[in-house]
Amino acid sequence: MNPATALAQVLVDELVRCGLTEVVLAPGSRSAPLALAAHAESRLRLHVRIDERSAAFLALGLAKRAEKPVALICTSGTAAVNFHPAVVEASESGVPLLLLTADRPPELRGTGANQTIDQVKLYGSAVRWFAEVGVPEDRPGQVAYWRSLACRAYQRSAGPMDPGPVHLNLAFREPLIPDGDATWCESLDGDVTGPWIRARVAPPSSALHIPPTRRGVLVVGDGAVNVRRYVAAAGMAGWPVLSEPSGNGRYGDHAIAAYHHLLGDPGFAEAHRPDVVVTLGRPGLSRPLLSWLRRAPEHIVVAQDLTRWPDPTRSATQVAQAVEITGTAGDDEWLSSWRHADHLAQGAIDRVLDDAALSEGLSEPRLARDLAAALPNGAQLFCGSSLPIRDLDQAMRARRGLRLLACRGASGIDGTVSAAIGAALAHNGPSYALLGDLTFLHDQNGLIMGPREPRPDLCLVVVNNDGGGIFSMLPQASLGVPFERIFGTPHGVDLGYLAAATGTPYTLVGEADELARAIKGDGLRLVEVRTDRAASVRVRVAMREAVREALGY
């Protein structure tokens, strides 16, 4: 057996023994040994994409939803560079990826050889661990090295402390395909009982105890873990729960869905300063929330890895791997005040959103509210990281039975179609995505799939306001003449033609009462909702003003 084939087969086998079930491949020549090994492995589900960036975000979506490592394979050169945006997102959001980049052997590097660049530590500090595997050789000791390396890579990527991307750079000499000879100098077999190395995770340290008498608030941001446990504890303690959509804590009687608008009212924010705030995940959507956090006398951040914890406001007073929120209801007046204000705010928001004259059609905040409410229990909703996730945050009511995901680590718009497809493929149930038009266009290649590829049950709902709507909410909107060209960036693309080019079923929604019917169906499909940027800005301003008037501070 040639060394390239032996390394690839052993590496893939050991990763499967560790728990790998999904592999995403972007085709190429130098990666042929890995591609053939993955294709031949019946215990794996293989996904092939022609665009490396789309492939990388597909793997990210799969890993984000499955919460376990997904392997990503490409050939040498700029193919590996195209993985970088997804690697950065995976690093920032703690998503486990195994990057298997094929490379040219050392004697070809730095010579001008075709498709050869410096791939050593290509992704810099964005990976949790890097290894230059070395050119495989037919000599004793290689199998133990390869298998132990695979175990180390899988476990470092999976965590549980600080999961994220791991990069193995694999240099292959020709021949790159099997030569018909099965002999090797030692057994290529793995351990008959499982992985070559079994990692044992020590139990977490003792939880930080919070006295039950204190008036507290639980804040749930993107990427939070153990959410149900903490939401239940907050309920027992009489704490309100302020959860971003992708924090998946916006359910139950203690969920304060309108927290963004409440904390945007200076009178309410001052009157509701807590004794303690416990934060899960990475909050970052709401500026009023972040400003309010800065004034908290005690802010406890829960983080699995005590060397990397989210604290964008620099207001954390303690960081702990676990927190114990105990006791029965603490201050009934405290919780009742939050809930009463939330009720008033929700009523004011609904009146604005239901005012067709104000929105001049189906506004973006109303679309977010109605879509989140219309999805069936057990559904998954993948949110674009620009305006869609913010509209959900500001308009979505509390509800159970819906899982929300977003690429909020680096909060870019790249690769979102592919990430949503990956998450849908890993989800056991119907999936949906709410994306802006620029986000969709940025990854339209994600719709390109070969006839033999696994197909997702995913409805892509695209808000088309012909440009970058979020800039209309920022100071740039006041710049006049240059705004539309360099910030608004209208594109004039007919999304129906893009859908037709890839054979994707397409529906155009013009009125609010058409949405529920349009999103029904199965398989991959596209629903376009055309909106007006200026009208949606007016709706968002009216929401804020209506809440302040209803609160009366």
Side-chain angles (χ1 to χ4, degrees):
M1 181 178 296
N2 67 63
T5 298
L7 168 56
Q9 290 183 359
V10 167
L11 187 69
V12 168
D13 176 69
E14 191 60 38
L15 290 174
V16 170
R17 290 167 181 265
C18 289
L20 186 72
T21 59
E22 307 270 6
V23 172
V24 180
L25 167 70
S29 176
R30 190 59 52 168
S31 56
L34 292 168
L36 292 169
H39 183 268
E41 179 51 75
S42 61
R43 295 168 292 178
L44 289 173
R45 183 166 66 159
L46 178 64
H47 311 264
V48 181
R49 295 294 187 274
I50 61 174
D51 180 334
E52 284 85 6
R53 188 179 67 176
S54 290
F57 277 98
L58 175 73
L60 184 139
L62 282 162
K64 177 182 277 286
R65 177 60 183 90
E67 299 180 346
K68 59 185 295 188
V70 171
L72 186 57
I73 298 171
C74 73
T75 191
S76 62
T78 57
V81 178
N82 281 299
F83 284 174
H84 207 153
V87 174
V88 170
E89 173 61 33
S91 178
E92 294 298 318
S93 56
V95 175
L97 290 181
L98 288 168
L99 309 159
L100 309 179
T101 58
D103 201 354
R104 312 286 253 181
E107 63 268 21
L108 293 180
R109 299 176 187 175
T111 66
N114 183 50
Q115 212 166 326
T116 304
I117 65 171
D118 184 359
Q119 296 179 201
V120 175
K121 297 188 176 181
L122 176 63
Y123 308 114
S125 60
V127 295
R128 302 293 187 264
W129 184 59
F130 166 81
E132 171 78 344
V133 177
V135 178
E137 299 175 352
D138 187 0
R139 60 180 176 83
Q142 290 277 273
V143 172
Y145 165 50
W146 296 336
R147 290 191 179 274
S148 64
L149 185 76
C151 291
R152 184 185 296 269
Y154 188 92
Q155 188 58 47
R156 184 63 192 89
S157 177
M161 304 303 173
D162 195 26
V166 163
H167 179 200
L168 300 183
N169 196 52
L170 298 118
F172 294 117
R173 291 193 180 104
E174 296 181 352
L176 301 174
I177 62 174
D179 54 11
D181 183 1
T183 60
W184 191 257
C185 65
E186 60 181 343
S187 172
L188 293 173
D189 294 338
D191 191 317
V192 295
T193 62
W196 196 261
I197 300 173
R198 293 168 179 79
R200 298 287 186 252
V201 179
S205 58
S206 299
L208 174 65
H209 178 78
I210 299 176
T213 56
R214 305 174 73 180
R215 304 196 315 170
V217 173
L218 177 65
V219 173
V220 187
D222 181 76
V225 298
N226 299 321
V227 174
R228 290 188 178 276
R229 167 191 159 193
Y230 282 102
V231 169
M236 292 294 295
W239 290 15
V241 177
L242 318 184
S243 177
E244 295 183 354
S246 58
N248 289 294
R250 191 178 293 196
Y251 62 87
D253 294 337
H254 290 216
I256 308 299
Y259 75 88
H260 169 85
H261 298 285
L262 298 180
L263 296 178
D265 184 290
F268 179 90
E270 181 60 31
H272 292 79
R273 296 184 65 178
D275 294 327
V276 60
V277 175
V278 172
T279 296
L280 311 178
R282 300 174 299 278
L285 280 178
S286 171
R287 290 186 179 182
L289 173 63
L290 295 179
S291 297
W292 181 76
L293 278 178
R294 290 188 182 96
R295 301 193 299 271
E298 185 163 7
H299 177 197
I300 301 172
V301 174
V302 180
Q304 290 181 298
D305 181 15
L306 298 184
T307 65
R308 292 164 52 98
W309 65 82
D311 181 23
T313 59
R314 297 291 185 181
S315 60
T317 55
Q318 297 188 71
V319 180
Q321 289 181 317
V323 170
E324 186 179 358
I325 303 171
T326 59
T328 56
D331 186 336
D332 290 337
E333 185 179 343
W334 169 250
L335 178 61
S336 296
S337 179
W338 279 92
R339 294 178 63 181
H340 177 65
D342 189 54
H343 175 75
L344 294 176
Q346 287 288 345
I349 290 168
D350 286 340
R351 286 190 292 274
V352 171
L353 295 184
D354 293 335
D355 186 347
L358 174 65
S359 62
E360 300 176 16
L362 183 54
S363 69
E364 293 157 21
R366 177 169 180 176
L367 170 64
R369 182 199 65 176
D370 292 358
L371 179 64
L375 299 185
N377 286 335
Q380 174 177 270
L381 177 60
F382 204 102
C383 316
S385 290
S386 190
L387 268 182
I389 189 70
R390 289 173 169 83
D391 283 332
L392 282 166
D393 191 39
Q394 297 176 28
M396 173 187 168
R397 282 185 171 271
R399 63 158 293 182
R400 297 181 185 271
L402 179 63
R403 176 185 288 269
L404 291 104
L405 299 175
C407 289
R408 289 293 299 170
S411 301
I413 68 169
D414 41 351
T416 309
V417 172
S418 297
I421 290 174
L425 287 167
H427 181 67
N428 183 23
S431 291
Y432 305 81
L434 180 61
L435 313 176
D437 51 334
L438 295 189
T439 295
F440 173 76
L441 292 172
H442 207 282
D443 189 30
Q444 57 185 286
N445 281 358
L447 297 178
I448 301 174
M449 282 177 273
R452 299 180 62 183
E453 297 310 306
R455 311 287 293 190
D457 180 8
L458 173 65
C459 178
L460 295 164
V461 180
V462 178
V463 181
N464 186 0
N465 56 29
D466 196 28
I470 195 168
F471 294 107
S472 297
M473 305 295 297
L474 300 176
Q476 289 93 321
S478 64
L479 295 179
V481 174
F483 172 78
E484 191 66 3
R485 182 181 182 191
I486 63 177
F487 295 106
T489 58
H491 51 79
V493 175
D494 189 323
L495 302 189
Y497 285 113
L498 284 183
T502 55
T504 305
Y506 166 83
T507 303
L508 176 63
V509 169
E511 301 294 336
D513 57 5
E514 298 173 359
L515 179 64
R517 177 180 294 181
I519 63 175
K520 289 182 178 179
D522 52 37
L524 182 62
R525 55 208 190 275
L526 175 64
V527 172
E528 179 186 359
V529 182
R530 294 177 184 168
T531 61
D532 180 84
R533 274 185 267 147
S536 291
V537 169
R538 289 194 292 272
V539 169
R540 296 184 185 100
V541 172
M543 289 165 61
R544 181 174 66 246
E545 293 176 347
V547 169
R548 290 189 177 183
E549 183 178 350
L551 293 178
Y553 279 90

